Amino acid sequence: MLRGKNAFITGCNRGIGRAILDKMMSYNANIYCAIKKEDTNFSEYLENYNRSSGSRAEIIMLDLSNGDHIKDSIKILYEKKEKIDILINNAGIADGALFEMTSIKTMKDIFEINFFSQIQLTQLLLRFMKKSESACIVNIGSVSGLTPERGTISYGSSKAALMFATKVMANELSRFNIRVNAVAPSLIKTDMLDQMDDKSINKILDQTYSGKIGEARDIADVVLYLVSDSAKSINGQIIRADGGMKV
Ligand SMILES: NC(=O)c1ccc[n+]([C@@H]2O[C@H](COP(=O)([O-])OP(=O)(O)OC[C@H]3O[C@@H](n4cnc5c(N)ncnc54)[C@H](OP(=O)(O)O)[C@@H]3O)[C@@H](O)[C@H]2O)c1
């Protein structure tokens, strides 16, 4: 289904990004894997894919906390005059603290990674996406950006900004045949969830119809659908992937 398509995924060495990578590999996409830290095991994993799939996966070293480096990180795309069909803005960081206890520095740090750098990367990759006959972008948002839970001022606001930008981008980029959607997961079993206290987790589970914490592959399934031709009429949407929530 994705053979011949070129995808760019941020933060795909672990968690939800890794599940998206695995899913796209199972459909034989060519993939630029943007990661922050070198990892031999991860490199070997990609080499196996390159040997066995007939497609290719390549590492791009990308630290989203430093906007000045983003352009340098993707220079290989300029060299290859590459086309990008799929961009998944997945990498992100969490923060939980009450409004009164959240410094402006923390807010800026969270927004730098969860919002500004994603916007900057997307702007830089647009020239490559315009070469695709039909491209799509999926931003990984969060239900935290939709419901004003206590303690989510920095993380929730950054995700709300990303999800709003998703709709504006969809509006402006549809003339280039680029669709833009976001997925808003609730609790997903990854390292990020370990940062949350049990009380907050249980409160959210109480509000969840399924009563369960989701798996990273659940989100990868939604992303796969959104990047497929089956979703070609879906644009500018925030798809909640939360097991059903009362709020
Ligand atoms: N897990 C949840 O419950 C949940 C719920 C809703 C939304 N989300 C969203 O889903 C996305 C993936 O989260 P996850 O649960 O998979 O989290 P995770 O397991 O903590 O993984 C986060 C990923 O982001 C990367 N990353 C962090 N800071 C970065 C930076 N400065 N530059 C480049 N990459 C960076 C990490 O790279 P390193 O490995 O190098 O640190 C890692 O690959 C995030 O946007 C998150 O906000 C998660």
Side-chain angles (χ1 to χ4, degrees), residues 11-17 35-37 62-65 90-93 113-114 140-143 155 159 185-193 195:
C12 56
N13 53 316
R14 63 190 170 100
I16 292 171
I35 60 168
K36 193 176 67 179
K37 291 187 291 260
L62 177 69
D63 184 348
L64 294 170
S65 64
N90 162 76
I93 54 170
I113 291 169
N114 290 358
I140 305 299
S142 169
V143 292
Y155 180 71
K159 290 294 183 179
S186 180
L187 302 176
I188 301 295
K189 212 175 287 166
T190 66
D191 297 340
M192 190 176 275
L193 195 65
Q195 296 173 39

Side-chain angles (χ1 to χ4, degrees), residues 57-213:
E58 215 170 299
I59 288 178
I60 298 229
M61 297 309 300
L62 177 69
D63 184 348
L64 294 170
S65 64
N66 189 337
D68 293 343
H69 286 170
I70 294 180
K71 195 167 183 185
D72 286 346
S73 297
I74 59 167
K75 64 175 184 286
I76 187 158
L77 303 183
Y78 289 88
E79 284 159 14
K80 287 188 181 178
K81 298 188 169 47
E82 190 60 289
K83 165 196 79 152
I84 299 289
D85 304 286
I86 296 166
L87 166 62
I88 313 294
N89 283 312
N90 162 76
I93 54 170
D95 179 62
L98 291 174
F99 172 70
E100 282 181 283
M101 309 297 288
T102 303
S103 68
I104 291 299
K105 177 171 185 326
T106 299
M107 290 287 289
K108 285 183 175 170
D109 289 348
I110 297 290
F111 263 77
E112 187 61 42
I113 291 169
N114 290 358
F115 183 65
F116 293 119
S117 66
Q118 324 257 350
I119 297 293
Q120 189 183 353
L121 178 66
T122 306
Q123 285 175 334
L124 287 167
L125 291 182
L126 270 185
R127 63 188 294 170
F128 307 105
M129 302 199 83
K130 286 178 184 172
K131 293 182 184 173
S132 170
E133 278 175 19
S134 83
C136 64
I137 299 169
V138 179
N139 296 320
I140 305 299
S142 169
V143 292
S144 287
L146 299 171
T147 47
E149 290 293 341
R150 287 165 59 84
T152 60
I153 187 72
S154 55
Y155 180 71
S157 301
S158 69
K159 290 294 183 179
L162 183 64
M163 291 189 286
F164 182 78
T166 297
K167 296 180 186 192
V168 177
M169 286 190 256
N171 188 350
E172 293 188 14
L173 302 182
S174 62
R175 69 195 174 102
F176 304 115
N177 281 330
I178 302 174
R179 292 184 296 114
V180 192
N181 292 292
V183 178
S186 180
L187 302 176
I188 301 295
K189 212 175 287 166
T190 66
D191 297 340
M192 190 176 275
L193 195 65
D194 295 342
Q195 296 173 39
M196 252 178 116
D197 59 274
D198 287 348
K199 195 173 157 210
S200 306
I201 291 177
N202 289 330
K203 188 174 167 219
I204 294 172
L205 288 180
D206 282 347
Q207 297 168 350
T208 304
Y209 300 152
S210 69
K212 285 185 190 149
I213 295 173

